[in-house]
């Protein structure tokens, strides 16, 4: 089935920026082109539940978690089968493992996650 792979995590100082990427592969096995998938980023900090960070639909409608509104931007490049999460003005509370999710019923595909650490 389809697979997703995240990249771009790392260590950043408070106030800094990072851009995460999520590339979808093996779409031919699901016979669903990338452009119709709803793509999302979630994150999970130690001891906390996984939470939705941002989502972008097939028609590019976006939604954000309250804690990241105005700081994070989700986008997609259908030709590259890639979704991006631009994260600005990062703070310690953004430290988490960030997961990419791709949904198109009945498919619900998760990546392995990429660590983002915000620390001075």
């Amino acid at each position: 089935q389809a697979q997703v792979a995240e990249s771009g995590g790392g260590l950043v100082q408070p106030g800094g920026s990072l851009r995460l990427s999520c590339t979808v592969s093996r779409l031919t096995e699901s016979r669903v082109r990338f452009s119709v998938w709803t793509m999302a980023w979630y994150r999970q900090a130690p001891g906390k539940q996984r939470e939705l960070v941002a989502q972008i639909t097939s028609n590019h409608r976006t939604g954000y978690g309250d804690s990241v509104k105005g700081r994070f931007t989700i986008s997609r490049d259908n030709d590259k089968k890639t979704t991006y999460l631009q994260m600005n003005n990062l703070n310690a509370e953004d430290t988490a493992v960030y997961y990419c999710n791709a949904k198109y019923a009945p498919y619900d595909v998760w990546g392995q996650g990429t660590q983002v650490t915000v620390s001075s």
Side-chain angles (χ1 to χ4, degrees):
Q1 66 172 26
Q3 294 181 336
V4 299
E6 305 95 338
S7 62
L11 174 65
V12 62
Q13 291 187 340
S17 298
L18 277 177
R19 188 176 80 156
L20 305 182
S21 299
C22 168
T23 300
V24 181
S25 60
R26 299 180 65 176
L27 286 174
T28 54
E29 296 185 20
S30 62
R31 301 181 182 179
V32 179
R33 62 189 187 277
F34 176 77
S35 62
V36 303
W37 291 74
T38 292
M39 301 299 298
W41 288 94
Y42 289 76
R43 69 185 181 187
Q44 187 166 18
K48 295 187 177 181
Q49 289 188 331
R50 189 172 296 189
E51 63 173 350
L52 175 67
V53 175
Q55 177 176 285
I56 185 166
T57 66
S58 59
N59 60 0
H60 295 254
R61 182 171 296 178
T62 59
Y64 297 91
D66 288 341
S67 62
V68 307
K69 283 180 182 176
R71 300 188 297 124
F72 290 12
T73 303
I74 189 170
S75 61
R76 64 192 297 161
D77 184 333
N78 289 336
D79 291 336
K80 295 182 178 179
K81 300 181 179 62
T82 300
T83 301
Y84 304 98
L85 184 68
Q86 178 67 43
M87 306 185 294
N88 298 328
N89 194 22
L90 287 160
N91 57 61
E93 287 69 41
D94 297 315
T95 295
V97 178
Y98 284 70
Y99 297 91
C100 181
N101 174 256
K103 280 192 180 69
Y104 186 82
Y107 305 105
D108 186 356
V109 185
W110 290 87
Q112 294 296 311
T114 185
Q115 176 70 46
V116 172
T117 302
V118 184
S119 175
S120 56

